[in-house]
Amino acid sequence: MEGITLNDIERLGPMEIERRSFEIISEEAGSRIPEDERAMIIKRVIHTSADFEYIDNLCFSEGAVKRAQEALRNGAWIVTDTTMALSGINKKSLKLAGGEAHCFIGDEDVAEEAKRLGVTRASVCVDKAARLGRPLIYAVGNAPTALIRLYELIQEGTFRPELIIGVPVGFVNVVQSKELIMQTDVPYIVARGRKGGSNVAACICNALLYQLDGSRG
């Protein structure tokens, strides 16, 4: 855009910027966003990505949001596939709910096991999470191999997360791995297609937490 000056820039504080952003999202999306518990999650993902295609791409299993919030209220932990997703989760809100956030991708035992088996560290992380033996929300923003391993363990009956957030981004096995998760009876929030990312995974976790404590919509 030509002719822009500093006089054209709105001088807003952080909370006002967020409020105005959500106003713009609501104005541009109109009635396309469902008026139920999914709404704020979809809006927050759009806010994070500036991508309105998530209105159609973000898929929820029946009752997924309520099931996830119940699990969080009962102290469920969140496990992510990347340190980037982990860093984006609001630890204060999660701690208030009695939970913790973890990522095992950098653990030495995970690296050794992945090398021994000839598989990705992301898939070994799923096995490590399953051995915790506690309620978990598993948030995947990068590695389709994590979703594939989750599917395998669900089919074996050895691991059943409270919720799977399946939003890896990319081209190889990304679409297929998401479709596998949507065939299970485990609650899920999945970004169908190629889009997603660690920032989207963290965003969905935070949206669930903010709705839980009512702190930010």
Side-chain angles (χ1 to χ4, degrees), residues 187-200:
Y188 63 77
I189 300 174
V190 166
R192 208 165 200 166
R194 293 173 171 176
K195 293 185 177 183
S198 294
N199 60 332
V200 174

Side-chain angles (χ1 to χ4, degrees), residues 21-214:
S21 296
F22 279 105
E23 285 181 354
I24 294 170
I25 291 168
S26 296
E27 290 168 3
E28 294 193 17
S31 61
R32 295 172 59 202
I33 296 178
E35 295 182 4
D36 55 28
E37 69 273 5
R38 298 171 294 172
M40 189 49 67
I41 294 174
I42 295 171
K43 287 180 181 180
R44 285 199 171 277
V45 171
I46 295 171
H47 180 247
T48 293
S49 63
D51 189 342
F52 282 83
E53 287 190 12
Y54 281 106
I55 296 173
D56 301 313
N57 295 350
L58 211 57
C59 301
F60 299 74
S61 62
E62 186 174 355
V65 175
K66 292 180 180 178
R67 291 280 296 276
Q69 290 176 337
E70 181 180 352
L72 288 168
R73 287 191 187 95
N74 291 328
W77 289 5
I78 298 175
V79 176
T80 76
D81 67 325
T82 65
T83 54
M84 182 182 294
L86 177 67
S87 67
I89 294 172
N90 189 314
K91 312 301 188 304
K92 181 178 179 181
S93 293
L94 183 56
K95 185 177 181 180
L96 286 173
E100 300 176 11
H102 296 272
C103 176
F104 306 127
I105 200 73
D107 292 3
E108 185 175 341
D109 60 328
V110 167
E112 291 175 354
E113 183 72 356
K115 184 177 181 180
R116 183 181 71 82
L117 296 174
V119 298
T120 67
R121 285 184 293 166
S123 63
V124 174
C125 288
V126 174
D127 290 301
K128 184 167 183 174
R131 291 194 295 270
L132 294 174
R134 61 170 301 117
L136 297 175
I137 290 174
Y138 213 105
V140 179
N142 182 70
T145 53
L147 291 186
I148 293 167
R149 188 56 180 154
L150 282 165
Y151 176 81
E152 290 173 341
L153 296 185
I154 291 166
Q155 294 303 105
E156 293 171 6
T158 56
F159 188 31
R160 184 180 176 85
E162 301 298 311
L163 175 75
I164 295 174
I165 298 171
V167 293
V169 60
F171 299 94
V172 179
N173 291 328
V174 167
V175 173
Q176 296 90 332
S177 66
K178 293 174 180 179
E179 294 296 322
L180 283 177
I181 294 303
M182 293 175 69
Q183 293 173 22
T184 72
D185 62 352
V186 171
Y188 63 77
I189 300 174
V190 166
R192 208 165 200 166
R194 293 173 171 176
K195 293 185 177 183
S198 294
N199 60 332
V200 174
C203 167
I204 293 172
C205 291
N206 289 337
L208 291 167
L209 288 165
Y210 297 154
Q211 284 185 299
L212 192 68
D213 63 24

